[in-house]
Each structure stands twice: as structure tokens, then as C-alpha cells.
């Protein structure tokens, strides 16, 4: 499929990360195979939209519009609203643990929020997953709880595209093994992994669904491997928390859909109108 101007614009934004907080026109031209003139047109459009800012003659970073969009998420996103309302209570049900909310984004999973069991906010266990950090769809309980509940056609497509990565994650060397592994997770309603990211930690995750029954994220309890609670009790608590999250989310989405869609449509139209002239 041929890439659109919007695809290209977001590819430029994707070049910026923790290791590369700034980018130069030459880097963009080389990495994205763009002519110099086209690169500068994209940079002008992205700067006009506030998505990039020019720090110096040859250096660009993410712009202030990103901060505005983050604020919109905090005040209008239904998942954020539900997380604010219910995650603190569920997190404190199990001492010395952390509850994390993750969302599905393309073929990756994104950490959206962490809630510690301790009222003082100090994390009782060390985690590698900060807000906004993406990670593999094939690694960890938070991801597998989502993966197992995707439509069958999409799961098959992922296997055909990422069979090597799936095998490396010990999810199956062939389609039948991979499918059986995911069917077991889906039937159980939760996924438990131990030592996937940190050796001494266990994770129990359950899926979150939208009002159409599509999986869009997961809730995961992370705690020390030598926890006192039984896996069965912990899994039940996480399933209940995820089910409650799904119910509240569906109510919230129904109530906020007109406003949220209007905001998103305005942002998309603004960016589209700017980019269509590139």
C-alpha cells in the first residue's frame, strides 16, 4: 500500500524518542528516503501544526501541540476517566503490588497508567513499564491477555507476519500450537506470566473490552513472585477489576462519544488540511 502524506508526517514524528530527542532534516531525508525539498515542506507543515518545534537551524523536537493533546487525553479520554475512578481502589486490594493499564495500539501494546497499592504512591516493586512506553504484543501477561482476544483473522495474520518473533517468545513454533496457547488464555479469562521482564516478578492480566465487544486493552497485577496470595484468588480479582473497567468504560464512552469524536475529528481535519498541500 502506498504511503500517504499523513503516513509520512507521522513517520517523522516516530523518529523522535528517548535516544533521539531531536532530529535534523538530513536525518529525515536519509531515513525516510525523502528529497530535501520534500523534507522541508513536511517540517514546515508539522511546525505550523505545533507538532514539531525548531530548536536551531538544523534541529527539531516535538512541539507544544503534543502537550495540548496529552491534556485532552487527561480530561476527555474515557479510559483515563475510568482508570482514575477505579484503579486506586483495586490496586490497594493486594498489598505490595502494582496495577497497570495497557492499551492496544496497532501491533504493539502501550502502557497507559500505573497505580501502586501503597497510598504514598511509592512503587512496591520495580517496573520497566512507564506511561507511554510501547512493547511487544507477544511478550508479557498484559500483551497476551489482549492478543488472545483479538479476532481470529487478525491472530492468523499476526502469525503469518511475525512467526519468528512468536516462536522466540515461546508461544508456538507452528500455527496450531500458537492457536491452542491463545485459546487457553482466552478460555481462562486471564493470563499469568512469571519473570518475563523482571526475574522476581509475576504478572496476572485480564482483557478490557469496548461496547462492541472488541478487546482494546488489559489490566495487570504485578507483584513479587513469592506472593502470599494464591494465583487463583489473584486471577479472580484481576478478572473482576477488568470486567468492572469494561462496564464503566462502555458507560463512559456512550456519554462522552459526541464530544470525543468532535475533538478527534477537528484535530484530524486540521492536520489533514495542512498536509494535503505537501
Amino acid at each position: 500500500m502506498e504511503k500517504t502524506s499523513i503516513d509520512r508526517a507521522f513517520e517523522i514524528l516516530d523518529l523522535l524518542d528517548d535516544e533521539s530527542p531531536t532530529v535534523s532534516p538530513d536525518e529525515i531525508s536519509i531515513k525516510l528516503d525523502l528529497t530535501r525539498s520534500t523534507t522541508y515542506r513536511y517540517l514546515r507543515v508539522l511546525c505550523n501544526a505545533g507538532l514539531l518545534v525548531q530548536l536551531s537551524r538544523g534541529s527539531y523536537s516535538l512541539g507544544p501541540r503534543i502537550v495540548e493533546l496529552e491534556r485532552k487525553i487527561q480530561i476527555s479520554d474515557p479510559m483515563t476517566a475510568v482508570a482514575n475512578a477505579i484503579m486506586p481502589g483495586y490496586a490497594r486490594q493486594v498489598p505490595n503490588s502494582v496495577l497497570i493499564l495497557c492499551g492496544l495500539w496497532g501491533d504493539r501494546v502501550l502502557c497507559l497508567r500505573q497505580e501502586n497499592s501503597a497510598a504514598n504512591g511509592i512503587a512496591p516493586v520495580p517496573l520497566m513499564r512507564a506511561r507511554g512506553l510501547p512493547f511487544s504484543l507477544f511478550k508479557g501477561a498484559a500483551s497476551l491477555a489482549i492478543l488472545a482476544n483479538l479476532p481470529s483473522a487478525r491472530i492468523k495474520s499476526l502469525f503469518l507476519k511475525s512467526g519468528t518473533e512468536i516462536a522466540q517468545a515461546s508461544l508456538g513454533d507452528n500455527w496450531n500450537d500458537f492457536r491452542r496457547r491463545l485459546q487457553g488464555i482466552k478460555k481462562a479469562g486471564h493470563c499469568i506470566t512469571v519473570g518475563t521482564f523482571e526475574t522476581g516478578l509475576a504478572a496476572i492480566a485480564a482483557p478490557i473490552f469496548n461496547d462492541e465487544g472488541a478487546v482494546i486493552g488489559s489490566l495487570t497485577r504485578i507483584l513479587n513472585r513469592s506472593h502470599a496470595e494464591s494465583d487463583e484468588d489473584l486471577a479472580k480479582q484481576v478478572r473482576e477489576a477488568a470486567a468492572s473497567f469494561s462496564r464503566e468504560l462502555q458507560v463512559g464512552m456512550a456519554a462522552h462519544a459526541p464530544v470525543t469524536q468532535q475533538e478527534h475529528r477537528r484535530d484530524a481535519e486540521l492536520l489533514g488540511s495542512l498536509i494535503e498541500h505537501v
Side-chain angles (χ1 to χ4, degrees):
M1 182 183 297
E2 185 177 352
K3 292 181 179 178
T4 66
S5 294
I6 291 181
D7 291 332
R8 286 295 193 184
F10 279 101
E11 283 182 339
I12 293 174
L13 297 178
D14 285 341
L15 294 176
L16 296 157
D17 55 27
D18 292 347
E19 296 181 358
S20 303
T22 63
V23 66
S24 70
D26 288 341
E27 290 172 330
I28 295 171
S29 296
I30 293 171
K31 292 181 178 179
L32 301 184
D33 192 25
L34 299 175
T35 65
R36 191 170 182 84
S37 60
T38 299
T39 296
Y40 275 103
R41 286 200 296 272
Y42 275 112
L43 287 172
R44 183 176 66 252
V45 166
L46 290 170
C47 285
N48 287 341
L51 297 173
L52 286 180
V53 62
Q54 185 175 6
L55 299 177
S56 62
R57 184 173 181 179
S59 179
Y60 294 80
S61 68
L62 292 177
R65 187 69 186 276
I66 304 296
V67 180
E68 181 185 6
L69 294 174
E70 168 66 11
R71 178 179 176 275
K72 286 183 178 181
I73 288 178
Q74 293 296 334
I75 64 176
S76 65
D77 175 54
M79 287 190 73
T80 299
V82 175
N84 292 340
I86 76 170
M87 283 185 68
Y90 279 109
R92 291 164 194 164
Q93 286 184 1
V94 180
N96 300 316
S97 70
V98 175
L99 196 63
I100 66 170
L101 169 66
C102 295
L104 178 64
W105 175 39
D107 292 346
R108 293 188 289 176
V109 174
L110 195 69
C111 183
L112 302 177
R113 181 188 174 103
Q114 290 185 16
E115 191 69 43
N116 301 319
S117 60
N120 60 13
I122 299 176
V125 292
L127 295 183
M128 298 172 58
R129 301 186 179 187
R131 174 176 167 80
L133 184 66
F135 45 93
S136 170
L137 186 55
F138 309 116
K139 188 176 181 180
S143 295
L144 298 183
I146 296 172
L147 177 63
N149 287 278
L150 291 174
S152 298
R154 185 170 179 188
I155 292 175
K156 183 63 176 289
S157 176
L158 286 167
F159 178 79
L160 294 175
K161 182 173 66 173
S162 307
T164 300
E165 185 180 354
I166 288 168
Q168 291 173 346
S170 300
L171 294 177
D173 296 326
N174 56 69
W175 165 243
N176 287 332
D177 288 346
F178 179 55
R179 181 178 58 181
R180 280 195 293 267
R181 175 71 185 275
L182 296 187
Q183 286 175 340
I185 295 172
K186 183 176 182 179
K187 182 178 180 180
H190 66 268
C191 179
I192 299 177
T193 59
V194 177
T196 302
F197 293 98
E198 291 90 6
T199 303
L201 298 182
I204 304 97
I208 295 170
F209 300 94
N210 66 13
D211 56 349
E212 296 180 346
V215 64
I216 57 172
S218 64
L219 273 181
T220 306
R221 175 87 63 189
I222 301 177
L223 68 174
N224 287 316
R225 185 174 183 175
S226 58
H227 55 80
E229 297 83 358
S230 71
D231 288 348
E232 182 178 347
D233 288 341
L234 289 170
K236 181 180 179 181
Q237 290 172 339
V238 173
R239 289 197 305 269
E240 290 174 351
S244 176
F245 197 107
S246 297
R247 289 192 298 270
E248 294 296 326
L249 177 63
Q250 291 160 21
V251 172
M253 289 177 71
H256 293 89
V259 175
T260 302
Q261 291 174 2
Q262 183 179 7
E263 293 278 2
H264 290 174
R265 188 179 302 113
R266 185 166 64 245
D267 291 335
E269 289 174 353
L270 172 61
L271 184 58
S273 65
L274 289 168
I275 289 176
E276 66 182 0
H277 300 298
V278 174

